[in-house]
Amino acid sequence: MNAMELIALTPVLILTLGATTLLMVGAWHKQVIPLVTGGIIVALAAAGAALLIQPPVAEIAGMFGSGPYARFFTLFWALSAALVLALSIRYIHEQTIPAGEYTSLVLFAATGMALLSSATSLVGIFLGLEAFTLSFYILIAINRHCDFSAEAGLKYLVMGAVATGFMAFGIGLLYACSGSFHLPEALHGLQTGGALRPWGLLGWGMLLVAIGFKISLVPFHLWTPDVYQGAPTPVVSFLATGSKGAVAAALIGLFASGPSGWGDMTSLLWILAVLTMLVGALCALMQTHIKRLLAYSSVVHMGTLLVGLLCQSRDGLTAGVFYVVVYCIASLGSFALIASLADHGDEPGALADWRGLGYRYPVRGGVLTVLLLSLAGMPPTAGFMAKFAIFHAAIQADLLSLALLGILASLISFAFYLKVILTLFTPNEAVAERHSGTGLEHTVLAICVTGVLLFGVVPGLLFDLIGRILP
Amino acid sequence: MSDNLLSLMTFFPLVGMIVVLFLPREADRLIKSVTLVVTIITFFISLPLAFDDVFKTSAAMQYTEFARWISIGDYFQMNYNVGVDGISLWLVLLTTFIMPIAILSTWQAIDKYTKAFMALALLLETAMLGAFISLDLFLFYIFWELMLIPMYFMIGIWGGKNRIYASVKFFLFTAVGSLLMLVAIIYVYYFSVKVGVPFENGFSVAHFYNLDIPGNLQNWLFLAFAFSFAIKVPMFPVHTWLPDAHTEAPTAGSVILAAILLKMGTYGYVRFAIPLFPEATQTYTPFLATLCVIGIIYGALVAMMQEDVKKLVAYSSVSHLGFVMLGVFAMNLQGLSGGMLQMINHGISTGALFLIVGFIYERRHTRLIVEFGGIAKKMPIFATIFLIITLSSIGLPGTNGFVGEFLILVGAFESELRWFAVIATTGVIFAAVYMLWMYQRVMVGKLKNPANETLKDLNAREIVIMLPLLLFVFWIGIYPNTFFEKMNPSLENLIDQVKAKQQVAMMVEEVEQAPIKIVVND
């Protein structure tokens, strides 16, 4: 690795070195606010570095890209990490969680996401994925006072280990078949005359199972609601956005660089997409706990994202990136809202707890409404434009049936998002007092809502950017 | 100023909404007054449209505005493209006219969360006006969806006992249709780009009118649009959300829903579904006209059996809108102009009926017919107004309902839908039965229920609400030309455009079906 590559790697280096430093400092100095503030500064510095430093080389160590696509997502995950840390301050305080460990783990996770999104080789994908998954194993179970948290951590650990196994084996098979780890050569090497070699197909299948676990595609989604319910809310806000978004970004990168024909994979993905959208939406309909509901909502969203990938067109991939970004903003905002209402671990979970909260806290009620409408895909929010772009691409790619099934799923989704919104504004005299939220938490919410509305009204801003950065 | 008249009119309520959001929550009266003033100013902004004589001679879009809005790469473009012609003119004015009335009706009816209600009402007004003036299909869709959310809340928060069920049902029914329409809109756009219309035109309806969409595709697209609009109208058999929504909605919500929101469906047919897909329209006209006639008769019969006044009015809407659609499908000037006029009439009469139901509900907190009887003696002014509105709803000559229904039936009779018109005429008789019978049971006879002894007659505010509506009942009934002369040029243009395309399609079909003669020259 030479100096050029190190310059290109600056954002990631800032994140890792910052995380290590904070971990060390945290061992001696336990004050929460300086540590977390330090973490936020590190994350913002990394974001700034990703934005400003022109990488002198296109690829780092043959494993990670440093092109505009990689920089965009590095920036995005670093900013998300900063927002998540801003959300976590009060939680860390109230639950007496070691701030140094927490902050550095969030930063390490962001590092992993940045690496994963910019991976240009199968090894890079594996490294990036494991880097943030390992952080999450600890983060999910970091609250030792809470049994649910431990249960969620164990569940995520077991599922994650299985997924890792599948991934390693799948990558092994792909390597055996194509003789290269590097993308896109590894993908081109899998093909003979437009069709996948059998071992290649098996390898892809294994890889897809692992990815399916990570972004919770049906039938690999079963861990999601339990983990979301049990884990600390600020952690979930990162788990729901960063970990899924980074895998999705890597997947989009794979599709963008890979060969045009996917042979038998297409039908497999088709089935996964339909199952994920419909089963996710139907299960969400049954939920009475807000975090479980949002968990299933994220399942549906990942299914819709697959529709964009299946288009196998540039429009589809552009729409996919837009979708990921918008989903992340809205989802982060929703969990941030739950976190801002929590007081010493007592947060409104069951839908019954939400009755009338919209009147008690009108601003945050309005914020949640906008965010949920974006997740549901109603104009004038960004969620509508995202969904529209995906279905637009699907129709252009002659995937009418897929678009119609997706629309059916959106329709079912409307029902459960609306249920929450209406509960929020159902008159209730006995509405419980909740925490009024810190200024920092309100800032996070304001950023998310602004993003959702801005990209809803002038989506061209983001679309043009994505059009330029997509490899 | 007249350059941006439409935008000013559409977005003024939105500005008002933001102002309302910043008012203190407890200042109930202040919030209502501000909202009322905003809606009245909006009405005055829209008033120059009513006095503009250009509509008498020109079928073209007036007051057009154009701005590029959302563009994605080099394949997607939507524009802020608005304008009014004779078709949308009166619907726009109906909207700005009904809104102050609806707001005034909430003075006592809405006593909790006033701020939220008023903010939603203003948002709804922006959305409705936007939908009527949109000339870009995508823009129309955005406004169309935007209408859903405020109405959903109005029913879901300020509604009656079953409000959750009713609001979710309302939302899901409408959403099913609109999502299908979205797919169809994307498809039309995709088709237009494929045949070489530059993508910069966006979803401009004027350009889509000129497309030659092949028959089979046209049928599917038409069905998607027609289904979506049929839910909104609502036509039999997708009307079932309407009685629930109306029964549960607060009075102002019912008035807006009946007077304006339902017109979105009929307007959608006239503006989009029929001219975009004229051949498919022709194919499906007998089928849809059958549904209209079923709706007319069925709505009337079910209305007759209702015990709740509000439900009765709701079902009468199904029947009335069946007439409107029948007139539209007749596709001649009488039928279409009758249909358009009947949209306004229905807005006025049914809006007034819901207000009347609201008046007695506020006094007695019940709407069951058996609870009343003989209250005309206690409320003479109310009885008079109620009678006039009842007669207008039935379509007595001299009132607005007569002109509309008569023209619709004449139009349908002169078109291919002759037998449909004959059957539909029975609906007029049924209407007289259920309305008069209801009036009789509620208003006349002996005052039996002691709870009705203390009923007070209408107060000044309530009379002020009703007066403008009464004015138009008679104005349209006696001199409907004011309205016809401004919509006819646009309607004639529409009919020519649709008929021409249908004829071309028929000629092509005839040529294709004609036996091919092989002449062999020895």
Side-chain angles (χ1 to χ4, degrees):
Chain A
M1 191 173 279
N2 55 33
M4 297 287 197
E5 290 180 335
L6 282 178
I7 293 174
L9 208 56
T10 317
V12 176
L13 286 177
I14 293 177
L15 281 175
T16 27
L17 292 177
T20 319
T21 317
L22 285 168
L23 187 62
M24 301 294 247
V25 174
W28 284 283
H29 300 281
K30 305 217 181 285
Q31 294 96 328
V32 176
I33 293 179
L35 283 171
V36 182
T37 316
I40 295 175
I41 293 171
V42 168
L44 290 179
L51 183 68
L52 298 174
I53 295 177
Q54 276 292 345
V57 286
E59 199 170 44
I60 303 155
M63 283 202 288
F64 302 107
S66 57
Y69 187 74
R71 281 170 70 200
F72 174 77
F73 273 108
T74 307
L75 173 79
F76 191 64
W77 302 134
L79 284 180
S80 308
L83 293 182
V84 169
L85 284 174
L87 276 186
S88 312
I89 293 185
R90 194 158 57 82
Y91 184 81
I92 297 172
H93 241 307
E94 289 168 355
Q95 303 289 328
T96 55
I97 290 167
E101 289 171 31
Y102 185 95
T103 313
S104 68
L105 281 171
V106 169
L107 292 177
F108 276 129
T111 315
M113 292 165 192
L115 288 177
L116 176 60
S117 307
S118 48
T120 54
S121 102
L122 293 172
V123 177
I125 291 183
F126 189 80
L127 285 179
L129 193 71
E130 283 313 300
F132 77 73
T133 311
L134 281 172
S135 310
F136 273 119
Y137 289 146
I138 311 168
L139 276 174
I140 289 172
I142 202 161
N143 185 358
R144 271 167 247 151
H145 315 296
C146 176
D147 294 341
F148 274 126
S149 190
E151 184 199 324
L154 190 63
K155 216 161 220 170
Y156 191 66
L157 175 70
V158 174
M159 290 299 187
V162 173
T164 304
F166 268 101
M167 175 154 260
F169 198 45
I171 289 178
L173 281 173
L174 290 184
Y175 180 66
C177 191
S178 67
S180 170
F181 279 127
H182 193 259
L183 300 168
E185 290 90 330
L187 298 179
H188 284 287
L190 298 177
Q191 299 207 319
T192 42
L196 280 174
R197 292 167 194 269
W199 290 113
L201 183 62
L202 189 60
W204 252 120
M206 295 258 178
L207 200 60
L208 207 59
V209 171
I211 290 174
F213 269 116
K214 291 297 170 197
I215 61 174
S216 37
L217 301 178
V218 174
F220 315 110
H221 66 291
L222 292 164
W223 61 273
T224 322
D226 294 337
V227 171
Y228 277 30
Q229 188 182 4
T233 310
V235 175
V236 179
S237 74
F238 207 27
L239 184 66
T241 56
S243 86
K244 286 196 172 169
V247 178
L251 203 57
I252 293 172
L254 273 182
F255 272 75
S257 63
S260 51
W262 289 87
D264 302 327
M265 285 298 292
T266 317
S267 47
L268 210 58
L269 281 171
W270 200 95
I271 294 167
L272 275 181
V274 171
L275 268 183
T276 305
M277 288 189 294
L278 291 180
V279 173
L282 287 173
C283 289
L285 212 49
M286 309 295 160
Q287 301 307 316
T288 54
H289 191 285
I290 183 94
K291 280 159 92 178
R292 296 182 75 87
L293 191 144
L294 286 173
Y296 278 110
S297 134
S298 79
V299 172
V300 185
H301 280 292
M302 289 302 135
T304 317
L305 176 73
L306 275 194
V307 175
L309 296 182
L310 270 167
C311 298
Q312 304 186 9
S313 65
R314 221 182 142 71
D315 296 353
L317 295 176
T318 315
V321 177
F322 188 86
Y323 199 90
V324 170
V325 171
V326 168
Y327 158 76
C328 285
I329 298 174
S331 188
L332 182 69
S334 314
F335 284 109
L337 194 119
I338 301 175
S340 82
L341 289 166
D343 196 356
H344 288 87
D346 173 32
E347 59 185 21
L351 276 183
D353 296 347
W354 288 85
R355 273 189 59 178
L357 270 186
Y359 294 114
R360 186 70 192 73
Y361 303 103
V363 176
R364 279 183 288 173
V367 166
L368 186 59
T369 307
V370 172
L371 292 171
L372 289 178
L373 285 178
S374 177
L375 287 174
M378 288 292 282
T381 60
F384 169 69
M385 281 314 299
K387 218 166 236 180
F388 172 78
I390 294 266
F391 292 139
H392 183 257
I395 289 174
Q396 279 195 322
D398 272 335
L399 293 172
L400 189 62
S401 49
L402 200 56
L404 286 176
L405 285 168
I407 280 191
L408 180 65
S410 321
L411 198 70
I412 305 171
S413 314
F414 277 148
F416 60 79
Y417 292 118
L418 288 174
K419 192 168 73 176
V420 180
I421 296 175
L422 209 55
T423 315
L424 206 54
F425 291 100
T426 304
N428 180 10
E429 297 302 324
V431 56
E433 283 287 314
R434 299 286 171 188
H435 200 279
S436 52
T438 62
L440 219 48
E441 286 159 358
H442 286 281
T443 316
V444 173
L445 291 176
I447 292 173
C448 293
V449 161
T450 315
V452 159
L453 288 177
L454 179 72
F455 295 139
V457 179
V458 270
L461 290 178
L462 190 53
F463 268 114
D464 288 344
L465 180 68
I466 295 169
R468 280 203 302 276
I469 61 166
L470 201 65
Chain B
M1 175 169 142
S2 82
D3 285 351
N4 293 313
L5 183 84
L6 290 184
S7 293
L8 185 67
M9 170 192 80
T10 306
F11 293 105
F12 189 74
L14 197 65
V15 176
M17 179 190 107
I18 293 165
V19 172
V20 165
L21 283 179
F22 282 100
L23 294 175
R25 215 194 297 194
E26 306 77 33
D28 192 82
R29 195 42 63 85
L30 176 70
I31 292 170
K32 283 175 181 166
S33 312
V34 170
T35 315
L36 182 66
V37 170
V38 169
T39 51
I40 290 176
I41 295 178
T42 312
F43 175 63
F44 280 112
I45 296 175
S46 71
L47 215 49
L49 296 176
F51 294 105
D52 194 335
D53 283 338
V54 73
F55 295 104
K56 286 183 191 170
T57 50
S58 168
M61 284 293 166
Q62 311 294 335
Y63 298 92
T64 48
E65 289 171 42
F66 185 90
R68 298 239 174 265
W69 186 6
I70 298 174
S71 49
I72 303 171
D74 54 356
Y75 61 94
F76 177 88
Q77 172 75 49
M78 76 150 289
N79 305 310
Y80 179 75
N81 186 359
V82 297
V84 277
D85 65 354
I87 297 171
S88 47
L89 170 69
W90 295 114
L91 291 168
V92 167
L93 285 163
L94 178 72
T95 310
T96 57
F97 169 73
I98 290 286
M99 282 310 287
I101 295 178
I103 298 298
L104 207 53
S105 80
T106 62
W107 228 246
Q108 259 134 38
I110 302 294
D111 51 5
K112 52 173 190 180
Y113 317 124
T114 316
K115 187 165 142 179
F117 187 91
M118 296 300 155
L120 288 173
L122 291 171
L123 179 65
L124 187 59
E125 182 168 14
T126 292
M128 293 186 301
L129 289 171
F132 280 133
I133 62 172
S134 295
L135 300 181
D136 186 286
L137 255 179
F138 197 83
L139 188 67
F140 170 76
Y141 184 80
I142 288 183
F143 282 122
W144 167 277
E145 287 279 270
L146 197 60
M147 280 186 305
L148 270 183
I149 305 165
M151 200 64 218
Y152 166 76
F153 278 119
M154 278 192 188
I155 302 172
I157 296 174
W158 292 272
K161 254 185 238 140
N162 281 325
R163 57 176 182 272
I164 306 282
Y165 169 76
S167 60
V168 172
K169 193 170 174 183
F170 161 76
F171 195 95
L172 289 186
F173 262 72
T174 325
V176 174
S178 53
L179 285 176
L180 268 182
M181 181 167 74
L182 179 64
V183 175
I185 291 176
I186 299 175
Y187 218 101
V188 175
Y189 176 68
Y190 174 51
F191 180 83
S192 82
V193 172
K194 215 162 59 174
V195 298
V197 178
F199 85 98
E200 288 94 350
N201 285 348
F203 294 72
S204 151
V205 189
H207 287 97
F208 288 168
Y209 284 161
N210 300 328
L211 291 177
D212 262 324
I213 305 172
N216 197 22
L217 181 61
Q218 205 175 100
N219 284 348
W220 284 110
L221 294 174
F222 175 76
L223 282 180
F225 272 86
F227 183 62
S228 172
F229 294 137
I231 289 173
K232 201 80 166 188
V233 169
M235 283 165 77
F236 180 87
V238 283
H239 65 282
T240 56
W241 63 270
L242 182 80
D244 286 312
H246 267 318
T247 321
E248 299 304 328
T251 301
S254 288
V255 172
I256 299 173
L257 186 61
I260 308 160
L261 249 57
L262 302 188
K263 306 304 171 306
M264 287 295 162
T266 45
Y267 171 76
Y269 270 102
V270 178
R271 172 74 81 213
F272 302 112
I274 293 175
L276 283 178
F277 317 109
E279 295 142 49
T281 307
Q282 203 173 25
T283 316
Y284 287 103
T285 292
F287 170 67
L288 290 168
T290 312
L291 291 184
C292 292
V293 173
I294 294 178
I296 292 171
I297 310 275
Y298 168 86
L301 288 177
V302 178
M304 223 180 280
M305 293 298 115
Q306 293 306 315
E307 289 162 354
D308 180 327
V309 187
K310 209 171 182 186
K311 265 202 163 153
L312 186 146
V313 180
Y315 275 106
S316 82
S317 286
V318 177
S319 180
H320 282 149
L321 285 155
F323 274 111
V324 173
M325 290 316 300
L326 188 66
V328 169
F329 287 125
M331 248 316 126
N332 51 24
L333 190 60
Q334 292 94 324
L336 200 53
S337 59
M340 291 300 298
L341 189 73
Q342 192 65 0
M343 288 188 209
I344 318 282
N345 292 341
H346 178 263
I348 291 169
S349 306
T350 308
L353 279 173
F354 278 119
L355 288 170
I356 285 169
V357 175
F359 294 157
I360 53 171
Y361 184 76
E362 276 171 42
R363 287 170 169 70
R364 284 288 322 278
H365 294 282
T366 177
R367 296 183 299 247
L368 293 180
I369 295 176
V370 287
E371 290 278 325
F372 300 101
I375 58 177
K377 292 183 192 94
K378 292 282 164 196
M379 307 170 75
I381 306 175
F382 177 72
T384 317
I385 294 177
F386 194 0
L387 186 64
I388 296 170
I389 298 293
T390 305
L391 294 176
S392 120
S393 179
I394 298 168
L396 189 83
T399 62
N400 57 351
F402 173 74
V403 187
E405 276 181 8
F406 185 73
L407 276 174
I408 288 170
L409 291 173
V410 169
F413 194 76
E414 285 183 358
S415 71
E416 305 144 33
L417 304 173
R418 173 161 295 188
W419 289 102
F420 293 94
V422 171
I423 303 168
T425 313
T426 56
V428 182
I429 303 164
F430 286 133
V433 174
Y434 65 77
M435 287 307 291
L436 289 177
W437 192 31
M438 183 266 286
Y439 187 83
Q440 183 206 344
R441 283 182 292 167
V442 172
M443 300 304 291
V444 294
K446 281 210 182 87
L447 193 80
K448 282 183 199 138
N449 192 339
N452 294 330
E453 293 284 354
T454 52
L455 280 180
K456 287 203 182 72
D457 207 345
L458 298 189
N459 59 30
R461 175 182 64 89
E462 290 164 335
I463 295 173
V464 168
I465 294 177
M466 297 307 289
L467 277 182
L469 294 168
L470 292 177
L471 170 73
F472 280 101
V473 164
F474 290 116
W475 186 339
I476 300 178
I478 294 164
Y479 192 70
N481 248 2
T482 325
F483 300 89
F484 285 137
E485 64 187 5
K486 286 190 181 160
M487 61 186 167
N488 280 355
S490 297
L491 292 179
E492 278 164 9
N493 182 38
L494 176 79
I495 294 167
D496 291 345
Q497 181 190 332
V498 170
K499 291 266 172 189
K501 274 202 158 186
Q502 288 176 346
Q503 263 166 6
V504 170
M506 267 162 60
M507 270 151 59
V508 170
E509 211 166 279
E510 272 169 23
V511 171
E512 277 171 0
Q513 281 174 356
I516 302 167
K517 288 180 191 159
I518 301 172
V519 183
V520 184
N521 289 332
D522 288 66

